[in-house]
Amino acid sequence: MTFPIYLDYNATTPVDPRVLERMLPFFTRHYGNASSKGHAFGWAAAEGVKQAREEVAAAMGADPSEIVFTGGATESINLAIKGIAAAYRSKGRHIVTVQTEHSAVLEACKALEQDGWSITRLSVGADGLVRLEDIEAAITEETVLVSVMWANNETGVLQPITAIGEVVHRRGALFLTDATQAFGKIPISVDVVDVMACTAHKLYGPKGVGALYIRRRQPRVRVVPQIDGGGQEDGLRAGTLNTPGIVGFGSAAAVAMAGMEAEAARLGALRDVLESRLVEVLPGVRVNGAGAPRLAHVSNLTFPGVRSANLVAELRDLALSTGSACSSGTGNPSHVLKAMGLSDEAAYATLRISLGRFTTPEEVEHAASRMISVVSRLQKPSHVTI
Ligand code: PLP
């Protein structure tokens, strides 16, 4: 075992050696600009991008022409929300989303709100799930877009995307899903979505490259570009293509698809061992989102009477998160846990553990023992139930 043990795969993942292998020639040999049509350097780069586009599309059941490469999921989400808002503003100026979304969605919606749009932010149940009837009731004639994430980054809770897509389409709106944490982890398909965002660095690909799926047929979704320039990506995302990154994304998607089922089963078993050991030994431990379908590798745990920041500080041999990587610097209690009904105190007593491709049973065993010993020491007996 090497320390610290990495248990923060939802924040980001290491690049898989097989993915790196495929990327390397695109730094040093095939370094041409994928838009250079007049020589072999450009053709080699364009060929790498073409293959990657096919691989990413295949992993979500899309046509390669429906994939726009971006600089990550945050950019994909901004392009989707702001680009669709600009294209459909004459229909109405209303968007429906959910309180537990990633800040990329929430902040993009907030920016539109400041521009006069009306945003409905639906609540979730204690299990983290949004209710279909709430979505149905929120959609009006004016609703342009509904945005619901596939898998939550803090809890792993999986929203019923197929059922939501059916409701949204029946009511005549477009459906965006942020599939950043689901892509490459569970089977996903664009059958019921119109736009979908994802990113390479959550599935053992490089950082700084993402994709936006945009439906081309039935209906053809219109998106107004948010970056002006040389017209790359069918005019939707100007700027020289990040060829090595895109090749890495394609490779990461192909590798993930090949081993997905076995990997989910392996990680689900490890996660269950971890949770059952902690729940058995430590009084009052709560598994957030346990009542809902969840990603197999994620565990979101509340340890009553303990500040998770203290826990993380003591557990120097474990790389854990007190919340999502993007908001853990703010010091605010997690908006996801608050939306699920946790008190500030409970939210501050919560840790996220996310396992991944390189996690071993020994590492999980070590993590469980260390957490049990540190939590038992820190837990104040008067706080064991909340
Ligand atoms: N959406 C979700 C659910 C995420 O977990 C993340 C990353 O933390 C993002 C969006 C943003 O992705 P990126 O880092 O590629 O911008």
Side-chain angles (χ1 to χ4, degrees), residues 267-278:
L267 293 178
L270 289 181
R271 194 264 314 265
D272 291 348
V273 166
L274 177 74
E275 286 184 352
S276 50
R277 273 209 64 198
L278 296 176

Side-chain angles (χ1 to χ4, degrees), residues 72-74 77 102 104 149 151 153 178 180-181 199 201-202 326:
T74 301
I77 290 164
H102 189 269
M149 73 200 317
N153 45 303
D178 171 7
T180 300
Q181 296 287 350
T199 195
H201 76 97
K202 309 284 186 187
C326 314

Side-chain angles (χ1 to χ4, degrees), residues 264-296:
R266 185 183 82 85
L267 293 178
L270 289 181
R271 194 264 314 265
D272 291 348
V273 166
L274 177 74
E275 286 184 352
S276 50
R277 273 209 64 198
L278 296 176
V279 169
E280 253 166 46
V281 180
L282 296 168
V285 173
R286 182 153 82 204
V287 182
N288 299 305
R294 279 186 298 159
L295 289 173

Side-chain angles (χ1 to χ4, degrees), residues 204 262-272 296-297 355-357 359:
Y204 312 91
E263 176 76 343
R266 185 183 82 85
L267 293 178
L270 289 181
R271 194 264 314 265
D272 291 348
H297 61 281
L355 315 178
R357 190 171 287 165
T359 307

Side-chain angles (χ1 to χ4, degrees), residues 5 7 274 318 362-372:
I5 297 170
L7 297 169
L274 177 74
L318 309 180
E362 295 71 36
E363 288 177 335
V364 171
E365 190 51 45
H366 177 89
S369 306
R370 285 279 295 135
M371 288 169 76
I372 288 168

Side-chain angles (χ1 to χ4, degrees), residues 10-12 70-77 100-105 149-154 178-182 197-202 206-211 324-327 352:
N10 272 20
T12 195
T70 66
T74 301
E75 188 192 325
S76 298
I77 290 164
T100 50
E101 292 291 299
H102 189 269
S103 52
V105 168
M149 73 200 317
W150 206 306
N152 187 272
N153 45 303
E154 294 187 30
D178 171 7
T180 300
Q181 296 287 350
C198 51
T199 195
H201 76 97
K202 309 284 186 187
K207 293 166 185 58
V209 56
S324 78
C326 314
S327 66
R352 177 185 70 184

